[in-house]
Amino acid sequence: RGAADTINVPVFGQLDTKSLSLPVLTFVIAFMDGFNPCAMWVLLFLISLLLGMKDRKRMWILGIVFIVSSGLVYFLFLTAWLNLFLFLGFVFWIRILVGLVAIGAGGYYLWDYITNKSGACRVMGGQKKQKVFEKLKKVTQKKQLGLAVLGMILLAFAVNLVELICSAGLPAV
């Protein structure tokens, strides 16, 4: 067993990556990725919208639907990425290329951390954020609960699709 077979994850400790099931591996990667600024602004805005609702049952339903939908979409994206990289991982030069891209991205993100003190997500600009905010408001204020739930599911898919850019590196590496 090499060093690449185990990872040290805060809270979880030392994990044997070869013995983890795909759902558990997805949860661990999602936990590590959950602190990226691209995801935080959406969650903070959604929480502020939901906490302002008078109907607590509706608030809990919409919040849980968004979280479960986001988790499912994230799982599907990571499954697709993992399968792609497992297939491509058999080609030596692709592994080298992924490693070089990972090193380059790591350098870029270190530079971004040093120069971008606000921690703002560069993937989602102000106009895109405003559109998502407006959609979130419309979805949570729909009269019919079924339409609001469907809107939350679609919104979770759309947000995770955009945030995939921020999250693509972890499963690739």
Side-chain angles (χ1 to χ4, degrees):
R1 245 156 79 147
D5 294 342
T6 61
I7 56 173
N8 189 15
V9 179
V11 178
F12 297 106
Q14 196 79 5
L15 297 176
D16 179 11
T17 56
K18 291 199 180 237
S19 67
L20 292 177
S21 67
L22 185 57
V24 172
L25 182 61
T26 299
F27 179 80
V28 170
I29 291 174
F31 178 79
M32 292 187 300
D33 183 44
F35 297 100
N36 78 49
C38 294
M40 288 299 174
W41 69 267
V42 174
L43 292 175
L44 288 174
F45 185 73
L46 180 63
I47 289 169
S48 68
L49 268 179
L50 293 176
L51 286 177
M53 295 178 92
K54 292 180 179 21
D55 184 351
R56 294 294 179 203
K57 182 179 176 184
R58 182 183 178 93
M59 174 192 76
W60 279 102
I61 290 171
L62 293 178
I64 289 170
V65 164
F66 184 84
I67 289 170
V68 169
S69 299
S70 290
L72 182 63
V73 170
Y74 197 90
F75 174 75
L76 293 173
F77 286 156
L78 285 184
T79 301
W81 269 117
L82 181 63
N83 286 325
L84 175 69
F85 283 109
L86 284 175
F87 175 72
L88 294 177
F90 290 113
V91 181
F92 177 76
W93 64 269
I94 290 181
R95 287 195 316 250
I96 297 297
L97 182 65
V98 167
L100 291 173
V101 169
I103 291 170
Y108 168 77
Y109 287 119
L110 281 174
W111 172 80
D112 186 48
Y113 172 75
I114 293 167
T115 60
N116 183 13
K117 295 297 181 189
S118 70
C121 177
R122 296 185 193 264
V123 174
M124 285 289 273
Q127 290 180 342
K128 288 181 185 175
K129 282 184 184 180
Q130 196 61 34
K131 285 182 183 177
V132 171
F133 289 159
E134 290 169 14
K135 286 180 184 176
L136 271 171
K137 281 182 187 176
K138 287 179 186 174
V139 164
T140 58
Q141 294 170 356
K142 293 244 185 243
K143 296 270 189 225
Q144 294 119 344
L145 183 61
L147 287 177
V149 166
L150 180 62
M152 279 296 187
I153 293 168
L154 293 174
L155 190 63
F157 179 81
V159 166
N160 278 281
L161 185 62
V162 171
E163 289 176 5
L164 183 64
I165 297 167
C166 295
S167 304
L170 285 172
V173 173

